[in-house]
Amino acid sequence: MKKRIVFATGNVGKMKEIKMILGDLGMPVVSMKEAGIEADIVEDGTSFAENAQIKASAVFEKCHDIVLADDSGLEIDYLNKEPGIYSARYMGEDTSYHIKNANLISRLEGVPDEKRTARFVCAIAAVLPNGEVLHSEGTIEGIIGYEEQGENGFGYDPIFYLPQYGCTTAQLEPDVKNELSHRGKALRAIKEQLRKYCEEGAYEDTDRQ
Ligand code: IMP
């Protein structure tokens, strides 16, 4: 079978970033949709890594390519790492991030900078054609701001302030964010593991029709 990577996401923005970072591995990187795979996946793991593996394994059942999946979110230390693995579902999937961000800011009212520490986390799982599973994780540390700032990015970016850059991740240019971000770091780490796997000749090319 000709080698390719299927990434278990339907998110177009993520796919762009993923293709940019994994592009030099020398094999096509396609989304589930591009691979013609549909899967209704219940993310009921208790950690980012577990959820990533659940997604990757569910898609692997439907093809036997190299399958990658990620799971990510925001951990706020003062809130016992909330919203964590529930970041997308926090206050309901359909609630706007403007409202979610305002809620988190209000839960930190009166909390000084040094206790507003937070991080974005991204875990990636890769299921290989031989069933082996690889994992990587990337983080970016910051603090929760006092108001939304910036128009770039998505989700919690407007309240995720990077003291060393003097701005939020929503104020960074996309390529700068990719360079620094939890997802960029996790993708580059899994890429090195995949490169080793391919170099070891464990995944030989044969013909895919
Ligand atoms: P998922 O990994 O696609 O399930 O996304 C998890 C959720 O975490 C997103 O819906 C956002 O709420 C949040 N999140 C993950 N990465 C970022 C980021 O880079 N910026 C802002 N929010 C993020």
Side-chain angles (χ1 to χ4, degrees), residues 46-98:
T46 57
S47 65
F48 294 112
E50 242 185 273
N51 278 337
Q53 186 166 342
I54 288 169
K55 287 187 243 184
S57 299
V59 172
F60 183 75
E61 295 285 300
K62 310 216 170 197
C63 63
H64 282 81
D65 297 286
I66 297 177
V67 179
L68 267 63
D70 75 335
D71 195 49
S72 58
L74 174 67
E75 290 181 349
I76 301 176
D77 292 322
Y78 188 80
L79 303 179
N80 295 316
K81 302 205 171 174
E82 273 188 63
I85 57 169
Y86 302 105
S87 291
R89 290 166 271 176
Y90 183 65
M91 297 181 78
E93 292 263 3
D94 296 333
T95 304
S96 77
Y97 275 92
H98 190 57

Side-chain angles (χ1 to χ4, degrees), residues 105-180:
I105 289 169
S106 75
R107 291 180 68 191
L108 294 184
E109 203 180 323
V111 176
D113 279 6
E114 64 273 18
K115 289 189 180 163
R116 300 175 79 92
T117 50
R119 70 203 53 77
F120 280 128
V121 182
C122 176
I124 295 181
V127 183
L128 307 180
N130 65 4
E132 194 183 332
V133 183
L134 308 175
H135 286 277
S136 75
E137 194 164 292
T139 58
I140 176 171
E141 300 285 334
I143 65 170
I144 300 302
Y146 297 84
E147 58 182 12
E148 287 192 311
Q149 282 182 295
E151 306 293 330
N152 298 337
F154 66 101
Y156 301 105
D157 279 327
I159 60 166
F160 191 77
Y161 186 78
L162 301 172
Q164 66 277 38
Y165 289 87
C167 67
T168 67
T169 42
Q171 291 172 301
L172 293 175
E173 290 305 321
D175 54 335
V176 178
K177 185 184 164 197
N178 290 349
E179 198 59 45
L180 305 175

